[in-house]
DNA sequence: GCATTTAATGATCGTTCGATGAACAAGATC
DNA sequence: GATCTTGTTCATCGAACGATCATTAAATGC
């Protein structure tokens, strides 16, 4: 199970797969982080460096050539995993009043779901949250400020002035959607085959309760 | 740094409250489980028995007099914590058609919330879920069968025959409510001071989206 | 082909883990 | 107050942990 690219020199295939492979440092470092993401997502941040090394097919000591401490490796895993979860396009999408709010929310949560309904992300986010990492709070605060609050404003614009939605209402909708991923990847329960359909239903119910047409 | 053992009042020969105390086995066992619940909820199931012993003010070896292995202790923690979370009264409440469905759901989730919006429970449930414990699945399946499905039936009874709610709709509502506790106890974020108010809003929105009057 | 550089290994350090068993002492009974 | 029971401590085990460092061998330049 060698996942990485073979190096240019192909010498008549006499090389054993268990050979000691010499990778460019940058490539090796990336490989370690890749594997560490999957590894820590499975077993938790208390996963042992020896087992990680076994998955990598290298010795445990090699890991410490690329990361001074285990904590440094974990930080690299955080950095890797927290990228790719937030798109800079979302604020523009949310504020695009040429489209109905239901459509905007549907597209947003379709994209959002495709990024966070991910085994590794879900579990590492939960592990780090339980460990008290500051990253989770920063992430959620950022989410609230740059996405939920703008959505709230747009929903208010679209709603007849009867009863106004609150930010907590949006957190509730958000929680209901995220809970789909929690059921699947944390509790490992079966979930509906088409999450987007459930998400659209949740959005439609939300908007309908404020007399707004859904997606 | 260790504040457990030292004595403040120096009455030589007098009864020292922090002395090595000899407890009835039943009492000691209960005390260990009590402390272990709080301890594991804080640091996770990988918490070390020596640190737990320090909190108890006893030696580490004493723990193994009452529990053959650490895993046995964890099972005892599970058993302790999973009790008290489900009331036998709920099915009768949910099926009581002399009251409007909104009121029944409000009362149910008020009681449910008072039981699960708990620091120790929330975290241990999440830790054990991440560890792949079978208990979580059993708990959630039980919840679905004995509570969510009956609620679904009652909501359908109360709804005009326009659009029928699904079980997934109820999971979505449930997730939105539970997410309040997750934000508070897992991510340690500030949450609204009156959770019941938010819960009632969520229920009202849910029912309203099916043209039913809320609580 | 030989010297140089440097990934990667292998052996090992000091520490800490869960767990064990002998020794000790608190409390009841007589 | 001597005796007995047993809750608790003390000392320690082997395994496993993160981390270190001298050694080995694959790539590179001359």
């Amino acid at each position: 199970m060698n996942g990485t690219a073979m190096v240019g020199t192909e010498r008549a295939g006499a090389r054993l797969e268990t050979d000691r492979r010499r990778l460019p440092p940058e490539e090796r470092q990336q490989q370690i982080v890749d594997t560490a993401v999957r590894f820590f997502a499975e077993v938790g941040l208390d996963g042992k460096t020896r087992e990680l090394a076994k998955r990598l097919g290298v010795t445990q000591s090699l890991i410490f050539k690329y990361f001074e401490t285990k904590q440094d490796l974990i930080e690299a895993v955080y950095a890797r995993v927290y990228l790719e979860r937030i798109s800079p396009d979302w604020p523009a999408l949310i504020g695009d009043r040429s489209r109905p709010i239901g459509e905007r929310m549907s597209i947003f949560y379709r994209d959002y779901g495709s990024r966070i309904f991910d085994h590794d992300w879900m579990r590492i986010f939960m592990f780090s949250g339980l460990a008290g990492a500051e990253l989770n709070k920063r992430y959620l605060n950022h989410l609230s400020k740059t996405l939920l609050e703008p959505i709230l404003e747009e929903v208010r614009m679209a709603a007849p002035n009867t009863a106004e939605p609150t930010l907590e209402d949006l957190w509730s909708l958000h929680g209901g959607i995220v809970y789909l991923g929690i059921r699947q990847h944390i509790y490992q329960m079966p979930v509906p085959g088409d999450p987007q359909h459930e998400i659209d239903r949740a959005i439609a119910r939300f908007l309908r309760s404020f007399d707004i047409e859904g997606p």
Side-chain angles (χ1 to χ4, degrees), chain A:
Chain A
M1 54 162 280
N2 48 353
T4 55
M6 291 290 280
V7 196
T9 58
E10 37 171 340
R11 210 174 310 182
R15 294 271 271 283
L16 295 177
E17 286 176 318
T18 52
D19 263 357
R20 150 172 178 163
R21 301 246 324 257
R22 220 179 136 90
L23 293 188
E26 198 171 301
E27 197 173 326
R28 177 68 81 189
Q29 178 146 355
Q30 199 167 329
Q31 180 207 31
I32 292 177
V33 176
D34 281 349
T35 307
V37 166
R38 269 176 275 129
F39 174 66
F40 286 133
E42 278 181 36
V43 305
L45 303 175
D46 290 317
K48 318 303 179 187
T49 55
R50 279 174 174 81
E51 197 186 330
L52 171 59
K54 198 178 290 180
R55 293 204 190 189
L56 284 159
V58 300
T59 57
Q60 177 239 9
S61 63
L62 187 65
I63 294 171
F64 288 91
K65 290 274 189 279
Y66 289 89
F67 301 93
E68 288 207 352
T69 67
K70 182 185 172 185
Q71 191 56 40
D72 285 352
L73 172 58
I74 291 177
E75 305 285 348
V77 166
Y78 284 165
R80 159 70 71 88
V81 136
Y82 271 76
L83 294 179
E84 316 162 3
R85 305 300 161 183
I86 289 192
S87 161
D89 301 336
W90 287 336
L93 166 67
I94 291 167
D96 176 12
R97 294 187 181 165
S98 70
R99 320 169 87 157
I101 180 64
E103 181 182 326
R104 282 176 270 163
M105 288 177 71
S106 174
I107 295 175
F108 162 66
Y109 267 114
R110 179 198 322 273
D111 196 10
Y112 186 71
S114 74
R115 289 163 187 258
I116 70 154
F117 287 173
D118 172 82
H119 175 271
D120 295 346
W121 157 260
M122 271 282 164
R123 294 177 65 87
I124 285 181
F125 189 75
M126 201 59 78
F127 277 124
S128 69
L130 283 164
E134 211 64 29
L135 267 134
N136 297 64
K137 299 172 195 170
R138 286 219 302 273
Y139 175 86
L140 289 176
N141 279 327
H142 182 259
L143 183 85
S144 182
K145 272 270 179 295
T146 67
L147 299 172
L148 294 192
E149 287 186 15
I151 290 177
L152 175 65
E153 183 57 31
E154 296 301 315
V155 173
R156 283 183 168 163
M157 292 296 291
N161 50 5
T162 52
E164 287 222 319
T166 66
L167 186 60
E168 274 303 317
D169 292 336
L170 268 175
W171 271 115
S172 176
L173 168 66
H174 187 84
I177 291 172
V178 170
Y179 197 67
L180 265 171
I182 294 178
R183 280 162 62 202
Q184 179 177 8
H185 294 114
I186 313 291
Y187 305 139
Q188 297 161 48
M189 301 281 290
V191 294
D194 184 3
Q196 186 59 40
H197 178 249
E198 302 304 329
I199 291 174
D200 276 344
R201 277 186 73 90
I203 294 172
R205 278 191 285 108
F206 182 85
L207 294 177
R208 201 165 134 69
S209 75
F210 293 107
D211 296 319
I212 310 174
E213 205 175 331

